[in-house]
Amino acid sequence: MSVKIFDTPEVQQFLRAVANLDGQGGDPRTKQIVHRLMSDLFKAIDDLDITPDEYWTGIAWLNELGTAGQAGLISPGLGVDHFIDLRLDAVDEQLGVENRTPRTIEGPLYVAGAPVEHGFARLDDGSDESGHPLVMQGTVYDAEGKPAPGAQVEVWHCDTRGFYSHFDPTGKQAPFNMRRTIIADEQGRYRFRSIVPSGYGVPPGSPTEKLLTALGRHGQRPAHIHFFISADGHRKLTTQINLAHDPLVNDDFAHATRDGLVCEVVERTDEASIKAHGMDGPFGEINFDFHLTALVDGVDNQINERRVRAAA
Ligand code: MBD
Ligand code: FE
């Protein structure tokens, strides 16, 4: 049996009351958004005949999600983070701004306050013994295409088990392991040594995994490295590179892989390269440049005030 009550004056008036649209006080934007979201939910319940059982299953899942701190984890899984990127791209297209280095999602695992180094940093502390050494380097370019000395390269990635420091369920990693801020040198260059990260998987048995499983999806990400790139007079770039050798490079549960962000890790085994980078044996090398964009009318029109978006 199917009933449709959404369009009745009673329900429409009820929705206005729920969001206090006609009353005093509160924040107008919050009222507008809550009114719209609750209207969309009521309409979905009506249209899809969502049963009380289904609804309360959803509420229990939301409680579980909140307890696990995973709202910021299911968000990219359901594509919202990528959708927001697509909207920022569309705004830039309208403004005539070209992003030579594509933006892509931040994810929930950034931690502010990583150690700051100049020109070069070693990200890993050597404790991940199965890690294959990695050197990544390149130049940060400004909006005019010139190198950007002093640009800030914030970088973070996971270990060979797919765990990030500060969110490591085994508690094994030291704070800020595989997280640094590198200040680009006089030539706008940055370079770091670390290990080749593995892919990431959402926590087994978690509410995030349960929903993905119900959709017939996995919760895996290909190996990737995150970046915030910033410089005076420029918009902050949020991006990642995805490693080409990972079989999931184009099957990312978080929908972050983009053209222009897939990097090969080139294996260096020759003595000259090993010496030049101060390595003790063969290592993988990634070369990647970042291109920044200018402020728009003197401001970063995309700035995203950092919120805590931690996931387990
Ligand atoms: C990650 O490492 C990540 O980058 C995203 C987007 C989601 C979950 C884990
Ligand atoms: Fe990540």
Side-chain angles (χ1 to χ4, degrees):
M1 199 176 65
S2 171
V3 297
K4 294 275 180 278
I5 63 169
F6 181 74
D7 287 320
T8 62
E10 292 81 359
V11 169
Q12 289 304 307
Q13 191 47 46
F14 181 44
L15 278 162
R16 296 184 73 81
V18 164
N20 194 25
L21 271 199
D22 304 314
Q24 298 298 308
D27 170 58
R29 179 66 169 163
T30 303
K31 289 160 94 168
Q32 177 189 37
I33 292 172
V34 168
H35 179 259
R36 172 57 184 268
L37 291 180
M38 294 317 296
S39 296
D40 288 353
L41 176 62
F42 281 24
K43 189 161 170 46
I45 291 172
D46 221 28
D47 285 349
L48 304 179
D49 256 322
I50 294 175
T51 66
D53 225 34
E54 288 171 328
Y55 179 72
W56 293 110
T57 299
I59 289 293
W61 178 84
L62 278 175
N63 273 333
E64 210 191 321
L65 189 76
T67 301
Q70 290 182 356
L73 186 58
I74 197 61
S75 172
L78 293 178
V80 186
D81 302 33
H82 182 61
F83 179 65
I84 289 171
D85 279 344
L86 294 176
R87 283 185 42 83
L88 292 175
D89 289 351
V91 169
D92 280 351
E93 199 177 320
Q94 210 166 57
L95 292 169
V97 175
E98 189 201 351
N99 290 287
R100 286 189 59 188
T101 306
R103 64 169 58 80
T104 198
I105 71 170
E106 173 184 332
L109 303 175
Y110 170 77
V111 178
V116 179
E117 318 249 16
H118 290 263
F120 169 83
R122 179 164 178 180
L123 273 50
D124 72 306
D125 61 10
S127 64
D128 190 339
E129 278 153 21
S130 39
H132 186 55
L134 169 72
V135 171
M136 179 166 171
Q137 60 189 357
T139 301
V140 181
Y141 290 99
D142 70 12
E144 265 88 58
K146 298 200 294 286
Q152 195 175 292
V153 176
E154 293 181 76
V155 52
W156 70 104
H157 68 77
C158 64
D159 67 9
T160 59
R161 303 163 305 160
F163 297 150
Y164 285 80
S165 62
H166 301 259
F167 305 98
D168 184 335
T170 69
K172 182 174 164 268
Q173 291 182 72
F176 296 110
N177 192 33
M178 301 180 199
R179 301 175 185 273
R180 288 296 182 278
T181 295
I182 304 167
I183 309 297
D185 70 12
E186 292 308 304
Q187 284 77 48
R189 292 189 58 80
Y190 75 92
R191 189 168 67 94
F192 63 82
R193 170 183 176 164
S194 195
I195 54 153
V196 179
S198 297
Y200 165 93
V202 301
S206 66
T208 297
E209 185 186 61
K210 283 182 200 163
L211 180 57
L212 293 169
T213 301
L215 298 174
R217 293 179 46 192
H218 66 71
Q220 305 296 314
R221 296 210 60 207
H224 61 279
I225 302 175
H226 296 267
F227 298 93
F228 290 149
I229 314 291
S230 42
D232 287 347
H234 290 76
R235 305 192 301 181
K236 174 171 152 184
L237 171 67
T238 299
T239 195
Q240 314 177 14
I241 59 158
N242 298 276
L243 305 189
H245 63 259
D246 193 307
L248 292 180
V249 69
N250 289 310
D251 185 15
D252 176 4
F253 103 93
H255 313 282
T257 307
R258 307 195 82 174
D259 289 348
L261 297 175
V262 176
C263 291
E264 304 280 346
V265 182
V266 180
E267 187 62 13
R268 300 283 183 213
T269 54
D270 59 291
E271 276 309 316
S273 299
I274 291 168
K275 250 190 144 159
H277 287 286
M279 305 298 279
D280 23 29
F283 64 98
E285 184 180 305
I286 298 173
N287 288 284
F288 192 80
D289 297 335
F290 295 97
H291 295 265
L292 294 175
T293 52
L295 297 175
V296 174
D297 297 328
V299 296
D300 188 339
N301 63 324
Q302 304 174 341
I303 200 70
N304 163 12
E305 294 304 338
R306 280 295 309 143
R307 296 170 297 276
V308 175
R309 261 178 270 175

